[in-house]
Amino acid sequence: MKNPQSPIVVELVVGRRQQLPGHLSIGEAGDLAQMALDTASSSLEITIDGISRTVGLEAAESVRCPPDIPSVEFPATAHFAEGDLSVALKAAKTVDDRFDLVVEADAGEIRFEATGDTDSMVYRRESSDLVAFEPADVQSKFDAELA
């Protein structure tokens, strides 16, 4: 039976540099990488060509715990036709890193608006363009990279 305190050692040959994750990028193609997992300290030691790097690891319990999601009310809902949402997000990303999502109940429309230093864009869909639409007056700002 193995001692639970002894590190687990793995050796591998470093492949092409372009495909290496950041922690292995200190090696060149063909270098031997030795990795030792220390479960007691939750760390991984990587040694390549005499260079050692220790990486602290996240506790598995912290990664696996369910997120605490607050209760959120959505006053408006819109169901887009296939491709419409992709077009809107792509257009917004070409102008700025952020965009506004605006719903106007009286106008019966939803808009994606982005304003950059010199450019701006508006992608507008009316209720007849949507699969389903329950309007309410709402405006929210979103990060275009996260959407």
Side-chain angles (χ1 to χ4, degrees):
M1 186 165 124
K2 291 185 179 179
N3 179 352
Q5 298 301 319
S6 64
I8 299 167
V9 177
V10 174
E11 292 184 354
L12 61 96
V13 175
V14 176
R16 291 183 15 214
R17 187 180 188 109
Q18 298 91 324
Q19 297 176 344
L20 295 176
H23 298 301
L24 295 176
S25 63
I26 58 175
E28 297 291 332
D31 287 350
L32 181 65
Q34 183 178 29
M35 294 182 277
L37 175 63
D38 186 348
T39 56
S41 66
S42 293
S43 64
L44 178 68
E45 184 175 326
I46 302 168
T47 305
I48 300 174
D49 198 26
I51 300 171
S52 292
R53 181 175 185 171
T54 302
V55 180
L57 304 174
E58 295 288 328
E61 297 79 28
S62 69
V63 176
R64 294 187 181 128
C65 66
D68 184 19
I69 300 174
S71 174
V72 178
E73 290 187 32
F74 299 104
T77 58
H79 297 260
F80 294 88
E82 187 176 341
D84 269 356
L85 189 57
S86 296
V87 169
L89 295 175
K90 186 175 180 179
K93 285 180 185 180
T94 62
V95 175
D96 196 14
D97 294 338
R98 303 192 188 297
F99 67 92
D100 290 312
L101 180 61
V102 181
V103 178
E104 288 188 14
D106 292 340
E109 70 178 17
I110 186 169
R111 294 188 312 270
F112 291 79
E113 300 176 349
T115 304
D117 294 334
T118 58
D119 300 338
S120 63
M121 64 73 60
V122 176
Y123 184 76
R124 179 178 285 113
R125 301 317 285 150
E126 295 178 355
S127 59
S128 60
D129 300 323
L130 300 168
V131 175
F133 189 48
E134 296 175 26
D137 290 328
V138 178
Q139 180 171 352
S140 294
K141 185 171 285 294
F142 293 94
D143 185 330
E145 294 302 317
L146 297 177

